[in-house]
Amino acid sequence: DHEKGFSCALRPPCSGCMTGAMRSLLLLACAAIRGTVGYQCATDIYYKSLHASGKKGLALDDTTFRSCSSRIPWVWPNTWEPVTSLRLFKAWSSEWSPAAREIAWGNLAAFVSANNVKILVGTQITCSSAEDDKDWDWTKQLLNLVSPSQVMGVAIGNELDILADKVAVDDTITDECVTGLWQGGSFWSTFQQRVDELDAMGFGDVPVTTVFTGAALGGSPFIDVPTASVSTFLKAASQKYGKRFAFSFNFYPYFDPGYKLDSGTTDQCTQARSSAACFTGSCQVPASVSLARGKIQQVSGNANSLFWVGETGWSSPKAHSLDTQMQWCPEWSSTDVFEKYYRDFLDWDIDAGGASAPDHIFYFDVRDSFQYGVAEKFGLIETCMSAKCKIRSANYTAPYNDMFTQEAQSMPWYNWAWLGLGCVVLAALLLTCVVVRVRKGREFRSLQSGSGSGGAATGVGGGGRDRAGG
């Protein structure tokens, strides 16, 4: 029942023997299994339109993946539209519990299969080759749990064009490392090695990419400096991998330092908001997309090169990492602007952009999370224990409360119980179908046997009737 937020595409095992009661059993089985592979936050605010749904996906934050992987939304929050793609930033982290890894992977694989979702899987490139290799090994293990047809692409490295900016805040990042990655060729060499291993695993037709920030568009055609040789890298990757390589960029108007407070004010940002928190032609994201498409063509020589927007999103409450003038404007990080940005994103008809349109775009993100240890509030849901969507009326009460959600999460047997119930119901349904088919088969053979023994007498009488009729 799509209107109630549930759909199940299971095909009846024997449509000819399906009674009304048996169809109900099938739906119950679907619902039981759905309890392990889908989640939907509660709200009283719904948006009717999701344009180009097949080209839009959700970015899966680290909090959801490591702490509540059984609660990945199967529909877009505040809509009834199914999620068809997810961006995963990493397969796992050394800082996360090893005991939870296989559980998270199993939940993700089940979610992908049950909901027909494709994933963009990320693997890191950092200043620690040992950690990168460990991460890559985890990535390969995760990929082995899904089929190539379920993988939209593999992203090798994320936002390396601004890695040098983190030298001052991250002790693991040094100037020597950044120079080695770019000028020393370490990044390009590792990228090729990863792709070669993907090919050997049977993922040779899966697109590959690395994701840069919108700042990479600041060159001709892209930035090309010792600490971020983006143009050089993109030219090499495009030449070697051709149509398989996807050009990917993150666009965040929320963090753009170019936006200033309204003239003569110390806390107003009406003018900045009007061009940042929207998705019409002159707004920042569509304009950046158009600019990027033109620059991509300069590098590849192809107007139809694969082009993805890796992330875009808005924060409310204010992100702790916001350090532009917009940090002084309360409206910038307000709930109203957050809601407008998300609503306009859903309503954005990507294809209306014509040739400049991206092939795919991801919204960041499912839940509030931490980036480099700093709290950010981009999530469409607050926490793993939240029953409600972030976008809701002030006095809204969910039909199920957060305490129930928390209790369910604290009981590992909860999901297994749902799965067990689903298996039992499906087994009973299959057994019923078999019994019905056997019984009908016996009845049919009995009728055939009966009609065969009386056929001679009936045939003679029939002939007589025919002749009499003649």
Side-chain angles (χ1 to χ4, degrees):
D1 185 348
H2 186 63
E3 291 303 316
K4 294 182 179 179
F6 171 76
S7 66
C8 188
L10 291 179
R11 183 176 180 178
C14 54
S15 58
C17 66
M18 292 289 287
T19 65
M22 292 165 65
R23 289 190 181 92
S24 297
L25 279 175
L26 179 61
L27 289 176
L28 177 59
C30 290
I33 294 174
R34 171 66 70 188
T36 69
V37 293
Y39 161 85
Q40 183 177 10
C41 58
T43 183
D44 58 340
I45 297 176
Y46 286 92
Y47 308 127
K48 295 181 179 179
S49 62
L50 173 56
H51 286 105
S53 59
K55 294 185 176 182
K56 293 177 181 177
L58 274 173
L60 187 63
D61 57 281
D62 293 348
T63 296
T64 298
F65 187 41
R66 76 172 186 268
S67 301
C68 52
S69 55
S70 63
R71 298 176 66 75
I72 302 172
W74 71 280
V75 293
W76 285 83
N78 303 92
T79 80
W80 295 114
E81 297 294 334
V83 173
T84 58
S85 59
L86 287 174
R87 181 184 174 191
L88 184 68
F89 293 94
K90 57 172 73 81
W92 204 248
S93 170
S94 298
E95 299 176 356
W96 302 349
S97 169
R101 185 170 62 246
E102 290 190 7
I103 295 175
W105 287 355
N107 285 336
L108 177 64
F111 178 88
V112 167
S113 296
N115 296 285
N116 196 28
V117 167
K118 288 198 171 188
I119 50 176
L120 172 58
V121 181
T123 185
Q124 69 183 32
I125 298 292
T126 67
C127 288
S128 173
S129 58
E131 285 297 316
D132 293 349
D133 289 342
K134 182 188 298 184
D135 176 82
W136 177 239
D137 185 57
W138 283 331
T139 302
K140 290 187 292 184
Q141 292 180 48
L142 177 59
L143 288 172
N144 281 327
L145 297 178
V146 296
S147 68
S149 64
Q150 294 171 321
V151 180
M152 172 184 164
V154 176
I156 304 168
N158 185 56
E159 297 189 341
L160 289 177
D161 56 309
I162 59 171
L163 185 65
D165 297 343
K166 298 180 174 65
V167 171
V169 296
D170 190 334
D171 294 338
T172 67
I173 302 173
T174 64
D175 291 329
E176 292 75 17
C177 158
V178 175
T179 301
L181 283 172
W182 290 106
Q183 297 301 299
S186 173
F187 175 32
W188 176 233
S189 176
T190 302
F191 188 95
Q192 295 175 88
Q193 291 173 11
R194 301 290 193 250
V195 177
D196 288 343
E197 291 186 46
L198 282 175
D199 295 348
M201 293 172 60
F203 289 82
D205 293 329
V206 172
V208 293
T209 188
T210 188
V211 186
F212 295 122
T213 71
L217 274 61
S220 180
F222 299 99
I223 58 172
D224 213 32
V225 296
T227 56
S229 306
V230 175
S231 276
T232 299
F233 176 89
L234 291 177
K235 289 176 182 176
S238 178
Q239 289 174 2
K240 178 159 187 174
Y241 300 108
K243 294 180 179 179
R244 184 184 180 189
F245 182 77
F247 293 80
S248 302
F249 304 92
N250 297 334
F251 296 127
Y252 278 104
Y254 182 82
F255 288 119
D256 192 332
Y259 286 117
K260 309 299 181 184
L261 294 171
D262 293 342
S263 180
T265 72
T266 58
D267 62 355
Q268 301 298 308
C269 54
T270 302
Q271 185 173 353
R273 175 187 55 75
S274 65
S275 66
C278 56
F279 285 87
T280 57
S282 60
C283 296
Q284 192 191 104
V285 171
S288 297
V289 163
S290 180
L291 177 63
R293 178 61 82 179
K295 289 174 175 285
I296 290 170
Q297 186 174 357
Q298 292 180 50
V299 170
S300 67
N302 181 3
N304 298 311
S305 293
L306 199 56
F307 171 29
W308 298 336
V309 177
E311 303 168 44
T312 192
W314 204 269
S315 180
S316 181
K318 182 177 69 176
H320 287 87
S321 52
L322 180 64
D323 59 1
T324 68
Q325 286 192 18
M326 295 302 102
Q327 65 182 304
W328 310 115
C329 178
E331 183 187 16
W332 188 257
S333 301
S334 67
T335 302
D336 288 345
V337 176
F338 174 86
E339 179 182 352
K340 181 183 184 303
Y341 194 84
Y342 178 56
R343 183 179 68 246
D344 288 357
F345 170 86
L346 295 175
D347 196 47
W348 183 28
D349 187 358
I350 297 176
D351 294 327
S356 66
D359 296 287
H360 212 88
I361 183 170
F362 290 93
Y363 192 90
F364 186 87
D365 56 358
V366 175
R367 287 181 174 86
D368 293 342
S369 57
F370 290 84
Q371 299 295 323
Y372 298 99
V374 179
E376 292 184 345
K377 306 294 183 179
F378 286 80
L380 296 166
I381 306 166
E382 279 99 342
T383 70
C384 282
M385 302 307 171
S386 298
K388 299 182 284 289
C389 304
K390 184 184 287 187
I391 298 174
R392 60 185 186 269
S393 299
N395 299 320
Y396 173 69
T397 301
Y400 44 92
N401 58 40
D402 291 0
M403 184 61 70
F404 171 81
T405 303
Q406 184 172 0
E407 181 181 355
Q409 284 300 301
S410 67
M411 298 184 290
W413 53 266
Y414 177 77
N415 285 332
W416 289 107
W418 272 111
L419 181 59
L421 175 60
C423 291
V424 169
V425 173
L426 279 177
L429 177 62
L430 289 171
L431 180 60
T432 303
C433 280
V434 171
V435 171
V436 171
R437 288 182 70 92
V438 170
R439 184 174 298 170
K440 285 188 174 182
R442 288 177 177 174
E443 292 175 355
F444 180 73
R445 287 193 295 273
S446 177
L447 289 173
Q448 278 190 322
S449 176
S451 58
S453 61
T458 306
V460 170
R465 283 194 299 272
D466 287 341
R467 285 193 295 270

